[in-house]
Amino acid sequence: RPVSCAAERGHMEIVQFLLAHGADPNLPEANFAERGYALYAATRRHENVAIARVLLDVGADIRASWHASGDVSCALATTQNEELRQLLYEHGAVAGLATAANSGRLDLAAEILAADPSKAQDHLYGNAIQQGHLAIVKLMMRHGARLDPRMVRSWQTALAQCLAHRRVELAEFLVENGEDINWPNWFGQGPLHYTIMRDRPDMVGWALDHGADIEARDWEMESRPLAWAAHVGSRACVDVLLQRGAQVRHPDDEPWNSPIARAKKKGHDAIVGLLRRHGT
């Protein structure tokens, strides 16, 4: 809607003009924002305090959300803008457990869970683990939340996300409490594959030290970790994998999914030469 487009682009005068002529910021947007999008755009996407204030003054719904990205109140967790935070509180925004877990507010999380421990499980993976807040993860588990090694969120397992962001202490905790270092996502890619995709050679070594299968083949590209490293052009990951015993050739390789084939297709000539020297 026009008022949403104006708020999205930061055009204050147009927002004011449209509101003065009867635009309703709470009208639903097709398929993605049942309570309007203008306030969400001003707060969550652009942190435009001036436009947010104008919209709130005419009754924009503080519960406005976009798809599955949370509502306007979630800005309390993400913003560093104290003026915006105060404005949202003044208009009824409530910092829930998702907000506390996303922002690392251990004190707030403790208060919420003391009042209602049943909320812990719902926010363990999507908030506390995904944002890397180990203290809040431990707090939630003390209130009854349980790890599920089969859980996949945002296309990857919790361990994969930890390793990609080099959250070693949290990764150690997850493994010690039952997370599976080889559990794959929906494409058959385990934490080791994802760590390679993100070019984290130090975390490749960590994953291997903790039992990652160095020859696990995924389902999407039907490639093993060494082939993935060759595909993304990570010489450092290739070196780690070769040092740890990854095989360059396998009897069941197809002409297109071997490490050398992957490197050649992407034009990584130096890696092709390295693999050929190791594969003879």
Side-chain angles (χ1 to χ4, degrees):
R1 297 183 189 277
V3 71
S4 297
C5 293
E8 177 81 66
R9 290 162 177 77
H11 299 318
M12 169 64 90
E13 292 183 359
I14 297 176
V15 170
Q16 291 175 317
F17 176 85
L18 292 169
L19 293 175
H21 287 77
D24 184 350
N26 296 324
L27 290 179
E29 305 279 359
N31 300 322
F32 70 90
E34 294 180 357
R35 293 186 171 93
Y37 179 68
L39 184 59
Y40 183 96
T43 55
R44 293 289 306 280
R45 289 181 62 82
H46 300 292
E47 298 193 357
N48 190 316
V49 177
I51 289 179
R53 190 182 304 278
V54 167
L55 292 168
L56 287 165
D57 285 346
V58 299
D61 194 335
I62 199 74
R63 299 170 297 170
S65 61
W66 181 68
H67 285 302
S69 298
D71 62 16
V72 170
S73 293
C74 291
L76 296 170
T78 58
T79 186
Q80 300 299 315
N81 187 322
E82 285 303 318
E83 186 181 4
L84 176 59
R85 194 190 305 271
Q86 186 64 34
L87 177 67
L88 296 178
Y89 277 130
E90 289 173 359
H91 285 81
V94 177
L97 186 56
T99 299
N102 281 336
S103 59
R105 286 283 306 279
L106 181 62
D107 55 342
L108 180 58
E111 291 179 10
I112 294 171
L113 288 172
D116 186 359
S118 67
K119 294 181 178 180
Q121 189 68 52
D122 292 341
H123 298 283
L124 178 63
Y125 278 90
N127 304 113
I129 291 177
Q130 191 160 332
Q131 297 302 320
H133 298 305
L134 176 56
I136 295 181
V137 172
K138 291 180 177 179
L139 173 68
M140 288 179 168
M141 292 182 67
R142 286 197 295 273
H143 282 84
R146 293 291 177 265
L147 295 175
D148 179 356
R150 300 167 297 176
M151 176 67 71
V152 176
R153 293 186 65 94
S154 300
W155 305 98
Q156 299 298 334
T157 65
L159 264 179
Q161 294 179 25
C162 285
L163 297 181
H165 293 284
R166 294 190 168 100
R167 294 169 179 157
V168 177
E169 189 177 2
L170 178 54
E172 293 274 5
F173 177 82
L174 294 176
V175 169
E176 290 170 1
N177 285 273
E179 288 285 316
D180 187 346
I181 191 65
N182 288 305
W183 190 262
N185 64 7
W186 303 310
F187 304 108
Q189 297 151 358
L192 180 56
H193 291 92
Y194 189 55
T195 303
I196 291 166
M197 292 179 210
R198 296 293 299 272
D199 194 13
R200 303 286 192 264
D202 51 337
M203 296 295 95
V204 169
W206 188 96
L208 294 172
D209 288 341
H210 288 77
D213 184 353
I214 199 170
E215 301 294 358
R217 177 179 281 175
D218 75 305
W219 308 324
E220 181 187 25
M221 289 179 53
E222 298 185 28
S223 295
R224 295 178 171 88
L226 183 58
W228 266 102
H231 174 79
V232 301
S234 175
R235 172 64 183 264
C237 288
V238 169
D239 285 340
V240 172
L241 292 166
L242 289 174
Q243 291 166 8
R244 299 296 289 268
Q247 298 299 303
V248 175
R249 304 179 190 277
H250 292 85
D252 58 347
D253 279 344
E254 299 289 346
W256 47 269
N257 72 351
S258 70
I260 292 175
R262 290 293 184 195
K264 286 180 65 176
K265 183 176 181 179
K266 289 294 184 176
H268 302 311
D269 296 336
I271 292 177
V272 172
L274 175 65
L275 292 172
R276 282 176 171 161
R277 290 193 295 275
H278 277 264
T280 56

